Amino acid sequence: MSKFSSPNAFADQEDSQLVADAKKAPVDPVEYSFTERDVILYNLGIGATEKELQWTYEGDDEFTALPTFGVIPQFAASSGVPLDWLPNFNPAKLLHGEQYLSIKAPIPTSGELINEARLLEVLDKGKAAAVTIVVETRDKNTGQVIFENQSTVFIRGAGGFGGKRTGNDRGAATAPNAPPKRSPDAVIEEKTSPSQAALYRLSGDFNPLHILPEFAAVGGFDQPILHGLCSMGIAGKHVLKKFGPYSDIKVRFAGVVYPGETIVTEMWKEGGKVVFDDLAAKVKERETTVLAAAAATLVSENAKAKL
């Protein structure tokens, strides 16, 4: 991937002038410092238990962050990229559409990181804009890249600015991940806690949509909803438990979970990746699809589902 410091790092000849200029705008790096406490808090936030000491006790010999912790250090950087250059931009009409996380190196359990964010792709969908922001997360002291995230958001009412309508193929980050027409190779059900969102938000996403009933009501929800990245983390934990470590994971957010509902993750191993798509990650109580077009690339292609 091109150097983040170059103004033309993510230039595309199909971009409109508005988008081309926005891509050149510098974005200040964002630091993220964390300790083992933050790792444990995140692990608990996506359902790790007191019996899973490798995720909840810093003194365990195998203490580690769950892989999707990689979405946490970048959050302030990606959400801080200005989008007010879009026509009719209204933050209340922004929806988190997709998330891709690539794990580039072993995940430290404490340290200081630097996040650099840039506009990667902007699509004019007519009545909406689809914006993908890429964030590279590096160790502040060594410069080693630890994570890459690509976050796609949809802004209703902000289209009509011209330029690209269809995105580029970015490999695993844009793969359709259709599940095969056979029974899943593995299934995990996990009932979330009524306080799941209240706990998960302490890892850095303080959107009141996930805690204030009156704010959720304005958004058309019966009660505060679970963070999409929390649902992603729970499903990612299920993949890890059944198939082992993965080097990247991608999801499309297709529905919402209310804290206290049960997430069902159905998984199919297809070559070197695990697909969990369509009705794969769903809410048991309402049969509502939560994650779609979802998959994780396994570190070991020969991994088999654990009983």
Side-chain angles (χ1 to χ4, degrees):
M1 189 163 281
S2 303
K3 295 287 186 181
F4 273 61
S5 57
S6 169
N8 297 312
F10 304 108
D12 189 316
Q13 61 182 7
E14 295 184 56
D15 285 338
S16 66
Q17 192 60 50
L18 178 71
V19 173
D21 291 342
K23 282 186 173 183
K24 293 178 182 179
V27 180
D28 292 334
V30 177
E31 294 191 15
Y32 178 82
S33 298
F34 67 109
T35 67
E36 293 167 335
R37 178 182 182 276
D38 299 294
V39 170
I40 293 171
L41 189 61
Y42 174 77
N43 291 347
L44 290 169
I46 60 170
T49 72
E50 76 286 351
K51 294 181 180 179
E52 296 169 321
L53 295 180
Q54 74 275 27
W55 297 326
T56 55
Y57 174 51
E58 69 283 0
D60 190 85
D61 289 342
E62 298 182 359
F63 176 66
T64 187
L66 281 155
T68 48
F69 176 76
V71 304
I72 298 300
Q74 63 86 43
F75 185 79
S78 61
S79 59
V81 174
L83 299 176
D84 53 2
W85 50 271
L86 285 165
N88 305 311
F89 174 70
N90 181 346
K93 294 185 177 181
L94 185 150
L95 298 172
H96 192 173
E98 297 185 357
Q99 188 75 26
Y100 168 76
L101 164 67
S102 176
I103 303 162
K104 305 287 191 180
I107 303 173
T109 54
S110 63
E112 295 182 319
L113 306 175
I114 293 284
N115 298 279
E116 289 190 273
R118 293 289 298 272
L119 288 170
L120 176 60
E121 188 171 72
V122 182
L123 304 178
D124 183 351
K125 293 294 189 179
K127 294 182 178 181
V131 179
T132 299
I133 295 164
V134 59
V135 181
E136 188 175 76
T137 302
R138 294 178 284 106
D139 184 288
K140 182 179 179 180
N141 298 313
T142 68
Q144 182 179 34
V145 178
I146 309 295
F147 306 115
E148 179 192 307
N149 277 269
Q150 295 180 24
S151 306
T152 300
V153 296
F154 294 91
I155 303 96
R156 293 167 292 170
F161 49 84
K164 294 183 66 171
R165 283 184 169 270
T166 304
N168 296 333
D169 181 350
R170 301 195 303 276
T174 54
N177 298 322
K181 295 180 179 180
R182 57 179 170 83
S183 298
D185 299 314
V187 180
I188 292 183
E189 293 189 12
E190 181 170 343
K191 186 173 178 61
T192 62
S193 162
S195 59
Q196 200 86 52
L199 178 59
Y200 184 85
R201 68 188 297 271
L202 299 180
S203 286
D205 184 349
F206 298 110
N207 188 333
L209 177 65
H210 307 293
I211 194 71
L212 286 180
E214 57 268 33
F215 196 91
V218 172
F221 300 108
D222 295 336
Q223 64 186 74
I225 63 174
L226 193 62
H227 305 70
L229 289 176
C230 182
S231 300
M232 173 184 174
I234 291 171
K237 181 184 62 179
H238 295 166
V239 173
L240 179 69
K241 283 184 171 183
K242 285 296 185 181
F243 294 94
Y246 45 86
S247 57
D248 65 48
I249 182 170
K250 174 251 184 177
V251 302
R252 177 181 299 153
F253 301 109
V256 302
V257 178
Y258 291 113
E261 291 184 322
T262 304
I263 293 177
V264 181
T265 307
E266 298 173 353
M267 296 162 268
W268 294 262
K269 186 175 183 293
E270 290 287 279
K273 68 179 180 181
V274 174
V275 174
F276 51 109
D277 188 20
D278 199 10
L279 294 179
K282 61 188 178 183
V283 172
K284 184 176 182 179
E285 288 81 359
R286 291 180 289 118
E287 287 293 315
T288 298
T289 302
V290 177
L291 303 175
T297 303
L298 298 173
V299 171
S300 173
E301 185 174 338
N302 297 321
K304 296 182 179 180
K306 300 173 186 176
L307 299 178

